[in-house]
Amino acid sequence: MVTMTTTSAPTAILFDAGGTLILQNPDEMGRLLGAAIDPARAHHAHYHAMAEYSDLRLAGQDVDWDWWLERYYTILGVVDPHLAGERTDRGFGLWSLPIEGVEATIDHLKEAGVRVAVVSNSDGSVRGALGRAGLLELFEFVIDSHEVGVSKPDPRIFQAALARMGLEPSNAWYVGDSVYHDVNGARAAGLSRAVLVDPYGLGPAEVSTIGSVAELA
């Protein structure tokens, strides 16, 4: 893990959505599952499940979103975690909890002249999720993989964002919560820095990390 140090600001920062800007809403999740969900445990479960998922993908295993959901609910301690994804519509509509400090940090970056946009692997729902979290209007634009037909870590989705901004890769950073999707994808696209949101110190030693987006300010 390489902790972020003071450096000159980029022209633009591209952000992942889930686990970077927003999380699943534990109150709404609990309503669907019929059991109270502790927000701290949900936070812990997200990043641990994502780290395991990323490690497996890096090792060449073809795990998918349903694997992540079951692992997430297992760590969370939900009864019958293999059924929880179906009971919560695979998370559709749950990604509405803004992560603490995100709004103020994005405002700060914009005031400093840094351009900000979102590049997310999603199912066409990421704009709605950011809107419910009160964050959508903060960003110049949102690219949803479902709409453009290519997903991270494919460098083309990052290149599409850079082309829309009229920027070279050397002028931009990417911030996300998955080494496999976000860090490796941004590196493949040539972005000048890829930063992992890693509040529990689970990432590999050579990756630049922050505990949350709030640290970017």
Side-chain angles (χ1 to χ4, degrees):
M1 178 178 69
V2 179
T3 303
M4 286 283 292
T5 57
T6 302
T7 187
S8 58
T11 303
I13 301 179
L14 306 176
F15 292 88
D16 175 40
T20 301
L21 305 173
I22 53 177
L23 290 168
Q24 295 183 87
N25 188 308
D27 294 333
E28 183 62 18
M29 185 191 304
R31 184 186 67 80
L32 294 174
L33 294 174
I37 301 297
D38 177 67
R41 290 190 67 180
H43 186 278
H44 174 275
H46 174 93
Y47 293 100
H48 281 75
M50 184 56 69
E52 292 181 26
Y53 175 78
S54 178
D55 287 346
L56 289 173
R57 291 303 302 264
L58 290 168
Q61 296 195 38
D62 191 24
V63 292
D64 58 14
W65 181 243
D66 290 316
W67 183 96
W68 184 88
L69 283 170
E70 183 172 345
R71 185 61 186 144
Y72 169 79
Y73 286 117
T74 298
I75 297 171
L76 190 52
V78 168
V79 175
D80 295 327
H82 62 293
L83 301 176
E86 182 177 350
R87 292 168 64 191
T88 57
D89 197 16
R90 303 179 76 243
F92 188 85
L94 292 183
W95 297 89
S96 61
L97 180 70
I99 295 174
E100 184 176 359
V102 163
E103 183 174 4
T105 299
I106 300 302
D107 280 336
H108 175 86
L109 291 170
K110 291 170 67 177
E111 289 170 2
V114 179
R115 298 171 66 183
V116 291
V118 174
V119 176
S120 175
N121 282 0
S122 187
D123 54 5
S125 64
V126 68
R127 285 187 190 81
L130 291 168
R132 287 189 297 276
L135 302 176
L136 180 61
E137 298 305 318
L138 296 174
F139 296 95
E140 192 170 323
F141 59 84
V142 174
I143 290 182
D144 185 314
S145 63
H146 179 76
E147 298 170 355
V148 298
V150 62
S151 301
K152 300 176 294 182
D154 192 311
R156 289 176 295 172
I157 194 168
F158 301 93
Q159 292 161 355
L162 294 170
R164 188 162 173 177
M165 288 179 147
L167 296 176
E168 295 297 321
S170 59
N171 298 131
W173 294 3
Y174 191 80
V175 180
D177 68 333
S178 167
V179 176
Y180 174 77
H181 295 98
D182 301 325
V183 173
N184 284 9
R187 286 175 172 175
L191 273 70
S192 64
R193 173 164 271 184
V195 182
L196 180 70
V197 178
D198 185 20
Y200 299 97
L202 305 173
E206 72 278 6
V207 173
S208 294
T209 65
I210 51 176
S212 73
V213 165
E215 294 181 20
L216 290 174

